[in-house]
Amino acid sequence: MKTVQLPDGERVSALGQGTWRMGQNKSARADEVEALRLGIDLGMTLIDTAEMYGDGGAEKVVADAIAGQRDRVFVVTKAYPHNASSTELPKACERSLKRLRIDVVDLYLLHWREKNTPLAETVETFEKLRSAGKIRRWGVSNFDVEDMQELLAVEHGANCAANQVLYNLEHRGIESGLLHFHQQSTNASPAWTNHQPALMAYSPVGHGRGLLDNATLKKIAKRHDATPAQIALAWVLRAQGPPPPDGVAVANVIAIPKASDKKHVRENAESAKIRLTKQDLQDLDDTFQPPQSKERLAML
């Protein structure tokens, strides 16, 4: 499996597993656990979850999936913004640790930003959790350029390890500024020297059948004897490996598709082997045009 290097040198799988909407249906739990376990075996060892998903149920599914193999897995979970304060964040972290049945979270993210808690307070609390051994590193989610710039100005804000955002063929808004900001982060400030926070792409294959029923995507999938979802994933991961033929760099991007059955898990894993051609990329650009001006960061 391709890997992405985090700012502290840790390498994680570029293709991970998402868990949104898992843990909501008890009858589906066994299949969800088995799907995640298969994904781990296939090299998708980064698992992303959140206290919001299934009201904590997804974290419990993850706990069952990683039981007996904690050392193989990189666990990411997220805290609600209303739990971002110095008093509530430690409590939220403890609840997540309990549901996950682990001693430390590998990467703990602020799920999205609300203005009622100052960033400086959240960052300071993240740092205290890290010093206490509750988390190994921290990051953010749904932060646009302005948010990241404000984060950078906060004491210890440069310790941010990742930013999780919406990114797929239908939602390319991060290419209008945020992607470049992350790529140039080492030059943005002396505080970020040798530091490039990873971008985590959630919903990399979109929602529903809208994206996957696209004629262009189907045409390219046929060229590669693949599925439209595999092509969509290969596009998100297009710079993890040899330089893409179009020269576009999207390094340090991690995709976290969700799959609740083994067939889709295997298909996701196979997508990491697909190399899109220059013609494939041009066809996708013609159909899903990149932003021509600054776009506001989209959220789901």
Side-chain angles (χ1 to χ4, degrees), residues 172 209 260 279:
R172 301 181 63 170
R209 294 296 311 177
S260 298
Q279 185 62 57

Side-chain angles (χ1 to χ4, degrees), residues 219-242:
K219 178 182 68 175
I220 296 172
K222 188 174 182 180
R223 290 177 191 162
H224 291 269
D225 192 22
T227 68
Q230 287 177 313
I231 299 303
L233 274 175
W235 179 84
V236 173
L237 296 171
R238 61 196 183 278
Q240 308 306 337

Side-chain angles (χ1 to χ4, degrees), residues 72-85:
R72 299 179 63 195
V73 182
F74 187 93
V75 177
V76 183
T77 194
K78 301 182 284 292
Y80 274 119
H82 62 250
N83 286 330
S85 68

Side-chain angles (χ1 to χ4, degrees), residues 20-21 168-171 203-219 221 226-232 258 261 263-264 267-268 287-288 300:
W20 187 39
R21 292 182 176 170
N168 57 45
L169 280 163
E170 290 181 310
H171 295 92
S203 300
V205 297
H207 287 283
R209 294 296 311 177
L211 173 61
L212 303 185
D213 284 337
N214 179 268
T216 300
L217 209 55
K218 288 182 176 180
K219 178 182 68 175
T227 68
Q230 287 177 313
I231 299 303
K258 174 219 171 185
D261 64 76
K263 178 176 180 289
H264 287 150
E267 289 177 353
N268 287 347
T287 302
F288 305 97
L300 291 181

Side-chain angles (χ1 to χ4, degrees), residues 3-277:
T3 62
V4 165
Q5 183 170 305
L6 299 180
D8 62 0
E10 178 79 10
R11 300 203 71 90
V12 298
S13 53
L15 182 58
Q17 302 185 80
T19 61
W20 187 39
R21 292 182 176 170
M22 286 190 181
Q24 298 179 344
N25 186 341
K26 289 184 178 179
S27 64
R29 182 161 180 159
D31 288 340
E32 291 169 346
V33 170
E34 286 305 307
L36 289 173
R37 292 184 72 88
L38 174 60
I40 294 169
D41 289 339
L42 293 175
M44 296 182 288
T45 53
L46 182 149
I47 299 180
D48 174 81
T49 189
E51 65 172 337
M52 183 183 80
Y53 300 165
D55 195 23
E59 290 180 322
K60 294 178 180 178
V61 171
V62 173
D64 288 347
I66 68 175
Q69 52 181 346
R70 172 66 180 99
D71 59 341
R72 299 179 63 195
V73 182
F74 187 93
V75 177
V76 183
T77 194
K78 301 182 284 292
Y80 274 119
H82 62 250
N83 286 330
S85 68
S86 59
T87 56
E88 296 305 314
L89 193 57
K91 297 176 187 177
C93 183
E94 287 293 345
R95 290 192 295 267
S96 287
L97 288 170
K98 184 176 180 180
R99 287 188 292 263
L100 289 162
R101 303 201 302 272
I102 59 178
D103 297 323
V104 58
V105 174
D106 295 305
L107 177 59
Y108 197 32
L109 306 180
L110 175 62
H111 207 152
W112 67 91
R113 187 181 180 192
E114 290 181 353
K115 301 293 186 177
N116 54 333
T117 302
L119 271 180
E121 180 178 342
T122 303
V123 169
E124 181 182 8
T125 309
F126 273 142
E127 287 294 310
K128 288 180 178 178
L129 288 170
R130 189 159 67 98
S131 296
K134 299 295 183 179
I135 65 175
R136 290 197 170 99
R137 52 193 69 78
W138 60 268
V140 295
S141 181
N142 297 300
F143 270 43
D144 208 342
V145 173
E146 295 77 13
D147 299 304
M148 293 301 290
Q149 289 172 331
E150 187 176 341
L151 177 64
L152 178 60
V154 170
E155 185 177 9
H156 303 302
N159 291 339
C160 175
N163 182 14
Q164 186 177 125
V165 293
L166 176 65
Y167 187 45
N168 57 45
L169 280 163
E170 290 181 310
H171 295 92
R172 301 181 63 170
I174 70 167
E175 295 176 22
S176 69
L178 185 64
L179 183 60
H180 178 73
F181 178 84
H182 273 260
Q183 291 170 345
Q184 298 299 315
S185 60
T186 54
N187 299 322
S189 165
W192 278 19
T193 301
N194 301 320
H195 186 109
Q196 188 181 53
L199 275 169
M200 300 181 69
Y202 70 79
S203 300
V205 297
H207 287 283
R209 294 296 311 177
L211 173 61
L212 303 185
D213 284 337
N214 179 268
T216 300
L217 209 55
K218 288 182 176 180
K219 178 182 68 175
I220 296 172
K222 188 174 182 180
R223 290 177 191 162
H224 291 269
D225 192 22
T227 68
Q230 287 177 313
I231 299 303
L233 274 175
W235 179 84
V236 173
L237 296 171
R238 61 196 183 278
Q240 308 306 337
D246 65 349
V248 175
V250 289
N252 275 25
V253 175
I254 300 162
I256 46 172
K258 174 219 171 185
S260 298
D261 64 76
K262 292 182 177 181
K263 178 176 180 289
H264 287 150
V265 171
R266 291 190 179 94
E267 289 177 353
N268 287 347
E270 288 296 312
S271 70
K273 301 176 183 177
I274 297 172
R275 294 289 183 269
L276 298 178
T277 67

